[in-house]
């Protein structure tokens, strides 16, 4: 769907009405930016681009703009932000003339493109105005990308800038930068510039240019604990301190990570698949895949004990009973002193 809509925009085949909604803000913004770039020249945007926010301005003001003949160009683009009347959200103080909006949906101005940007997970399809919007608008539902879609998106974005990418490099990039598209886009653009036209982005380039997030460092630290590589785990901890990460934050990240490992392991044992686990925990499936592999390196008892010990360390630090840095060091050394175990399947 998204590729088709973007392709039509590039070919300057526009719909007079667009409804962009969903929980992935980067895709919403990228779709709107592509539309504006394709529909209006930079000079035309000064005169024929308008933005209205339905939390501040009634929608009829945007419709009046849409019905005004454009200046020095063949079309107008009107962005209507936060159209909460498509959702179950209660009406606010702004009085929106939805009857006028219904009439506009049925007969939109031929010289205007009206874009409704609705950053909501769901729309209320019981409402007549929502049903009519879905019937009359070009609809783009911007949900978080699944792993295969995410990999394809990374590849396409690099290829659009003249670079190719090895599959192993995509894997490392997702581990390093996470699955948030805005962060990924920044890293991809940097990698494409480094590779240059016709260049290849490989694992070495990702290793060199993409910094680990604190969460990815914590993942690496827990992996070192699972291998009983405590010198390596301590070094990772010290690296985090060098980058001004607070020990109390590292404790919180460790606790969150071990809770995730315990949750994904328990759900997998009860018969949930990767996608079901991701939905139940509201995390990206790629993160679930990594967590499942890592959770197999710990017994249920080890995960429970680690969570309990992290809670105790957090209390000791916050009550002033123990130095923050020492609390983390003692935890890592205690975990390393335990007998190792083979990965479970």
């Amino acid at each position: 769907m998204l590729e088709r809509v973007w392709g039509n925009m590039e070919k300057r085949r526009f719909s007079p009405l667009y409804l962009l909604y969903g929980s992935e803000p980067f895709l919403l913004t990228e779709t709107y930016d592509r539309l504006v770039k394709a529909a209006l020249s930079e000079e035309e945007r000064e005169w024929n681009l308008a933005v209205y926010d339905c939390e501040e301005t009634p929608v009829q003001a945007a419709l009046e703009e849409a019905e005004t003949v454009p200046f020095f160009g063949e079309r107008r683009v009107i962005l209507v932000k936060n159209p909460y009347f498509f959702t179950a959200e209660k009406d606010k103080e702004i009085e929106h003339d939805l009857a006028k909006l219904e009439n506009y949906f049925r007969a939109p101005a031929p010289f205007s493109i009206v874009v409704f940007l609705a950053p909501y997970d769901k729309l209320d399809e019981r409402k007549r105005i929502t049903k009519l919007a879905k019937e009359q608008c070009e609809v783009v539902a911007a949900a978080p990308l699944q792993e295969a879609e995410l990999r394809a998106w990374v590849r396409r974005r690099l290829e659009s800038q003249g670079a190719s990418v090895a599959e192993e490099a995509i894997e490392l990039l997702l581990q390093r930068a996470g699955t948030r598209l805005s962060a990924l886009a920044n890293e991809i653009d940097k990698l494409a510039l480094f590779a240059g036209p016709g260049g290849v982005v490989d694992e070495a380039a990702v290793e060199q240019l993409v910094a680990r997030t604190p969460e990815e460092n914590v993942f690496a630290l827990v992996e070192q604990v699972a291998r009983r590589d405590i010198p390596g785990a301590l070094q990772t901890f010290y690296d985090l301190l060098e980058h001004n990460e607070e020990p109390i934050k590292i404790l919180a990240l460790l606790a969150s990570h071990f809770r995730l490992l315990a949750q994904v392991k328990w759900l997998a044992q009860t018969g949930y698949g990767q996608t079901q686990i991701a939905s139940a925990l509201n995390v990206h499936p790629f993160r679930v895949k990594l967590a499942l592999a890592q959770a197999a390196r710990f017994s249920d008892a080890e995960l429970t004990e680690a969570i309990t010990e992290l809670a105790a360390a957090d209390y000791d630090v916050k009550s002033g009973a123990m130095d923050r840095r020492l609390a983390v060091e003692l935890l890592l050394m205690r975990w390393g002193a335990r007998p190792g175990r083979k990965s479970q399947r």
Side-chain angles (χ1 to χ4, degrees):
M1 167 64 77
L2 197 55
E3 292 296 324
R4 178 185 63 78
V5 172
W6 286 355
N8 283 338
M9 289 176 180
E10 290 176 3
K11 297 172 184 175
R12 299 177 62 80
R13 297 174 185 167
F14 304 113
S15 169
L17 296 163
Y18 288 87
L19 173 58
L20 316 180
Y21 79 96
S23 57
E24 182 44 80
F26 187 86
L27 290 180
L28 295 177
T29 303
E30 185 171 15
T31 301
Y32 170 69
D33 288 345
R34 284 171 178 258
L35 171 62
V36 171
K37 185 177 180 180
L40 301 174
S41 67
E42 290 189 17
E43 294 77 15
E44 289 173 328
R45 291 170 208 170
E46 181 179 354
W47 300 97
N48 294 321
L49 179 61
V51 179
Y52 292 86
D53 189 333
C54 289
E55 294 184 348
E56 300 174 357
T57 308
V59 70
Q60 53 268 30
L63 301 181
E64 290 169 6
E65 179 95 31
E67 291 169 338
T68 303
V69 176
F71 294 102
F72 306 113
E74 57 181 296
R75 64 176 64 85
R76 286 182 177 276
V77 175
I78 294 90
L79 174 64
V80 182
K81 296 167 60 179
N82 302 315
Y84 60 87
F85 41 74
F86 292 142
T87 73
E89 190 174 335
K90 292 182 180 180
D91 290 340
K92 303 183 181 182
E93 294 182 2
I94 305 297
E95 292 187 10
H96 296 287
D97 188 345
L98 298 186
K100 184 169 183 176
L101 179 57
E102 288 182 14
N103 291 334
Y104 189 87
F105 278 151
R106 294 188 179 97
F111 45 74
S112 290
I113 301 171
V114 181
V115 183
F116 294 90
L117 187 61
Y120 315 116
D121 288 344
K122 295 180 181 178
L123 305 182
D124 188 351
E125 301 196 29
R126 298 169 299 178
K127 289 186 172 182
R128 185 172 67 180
I129 191 67
T130 306
K131 291 179 181 177
L132 188 59
K134 286 205 160 186
E135 289 172 4
Q136 301 297 324
C137 296
E138 180 75 75
V139 179
V140 173
L145 301 180
Q146 297 299 309
E147 183 181 349
E149 296 172 316
L150 194 58
R151 290 175 181 276
W153 181 84
V154 170
R155 188 178 297 280
R156 284 196 304 270
R157 191 173 182 91
L158 277 164
E159 289 174 349
S160 71
Q161 299 180 62
S164 59
V165 60
E167 193 62 34
E168 298 79 7
I170 296 178
E171 178 81 15
L172 183 57
L173 174 62
L174 295 179
Q175 290 181 26
R176 281 281 174 99
T179 56
R180 195 161 55 92
L181 294 188
S182 56
L184 274 173
N186 290 334
E187 299 299 341
I188 289 168
D189 295 346
K190 183 166 62 178
L191 289 166
L193 184 63
F194 175 79
V200 178
V201 174
D202 55 15
E203 281 185 287
V206 176
E207 190 78 40
Q208 179 181 347
L209 295 175
V210 181
R212 286 176 172 171
T213 63
E215 291 78 10
E216 211 263 323
N217 269 314
V218 165
F219 182 92
L221 191 154
V222 173
E223 191 67 20
Q224 289 161 332
V225 168
R227 298 198 308 266
R228 302 305 188 261
D229 176 15
I230 300 310
L234 286 168
Q235 186 58 57
T236 299
F237 172 55
Y238 298 145
D239 289 344
L240 283 166
L241 296 180
E242 284 290 322
H243 287 85
N244 298 318
E245 296 293 344
E246 284 290 330
I248 194 69
K249 179 183 177 182
I250 296 169
L251 277 174
L253 289 171
L254 282 168
S256 175
H257 189 74
F258 272 107
R259 281 196 299 270
L260 176 65
L261 296 186
Q263 289 170 328
V264 299
K265 187 168 189 179
W266 181 79
L267 288 170
Q269 289 169 345
T270 57
Y272 278 59
Q274 182 176 312
T275 302
Q276 293 172 305
I277 295 172
S279 178
L281 299 180
N282 195 29
V283 298
H284 196 279
F286 182 76
R287 189 179 174 202
V288 170
K289 183 182 81 169
L290 296 178
L292 281 169
Q294 194 171 71
R297 303 174 71 93
F298 296 91
S299 67
D300 295 346
E302 285 174 325
L303 292 174
T304 301
E305 191 171 6
I307 293 168
T308 302
E309 290 172 333
L310 282 159
D314 183 72
Y315 177 81
D316 288 343
V317 168
K318 289 180 177 176
S319 65
M322 185 176 292
D323 177 77
R324 294 173 295 174
R325 173 170 171 159
L326 180 60
V328 179
E329 290 172 329
L330 288 176
L331 270 179
L332 295 177
M333 288 187 284
R334 188 181 306 144
W335 291 338
R338 291 171 184 158
R341 61 189 302 274
K342 294 181 179 179
S343 298
Q344 292 181 341
R345 294 287 181 185

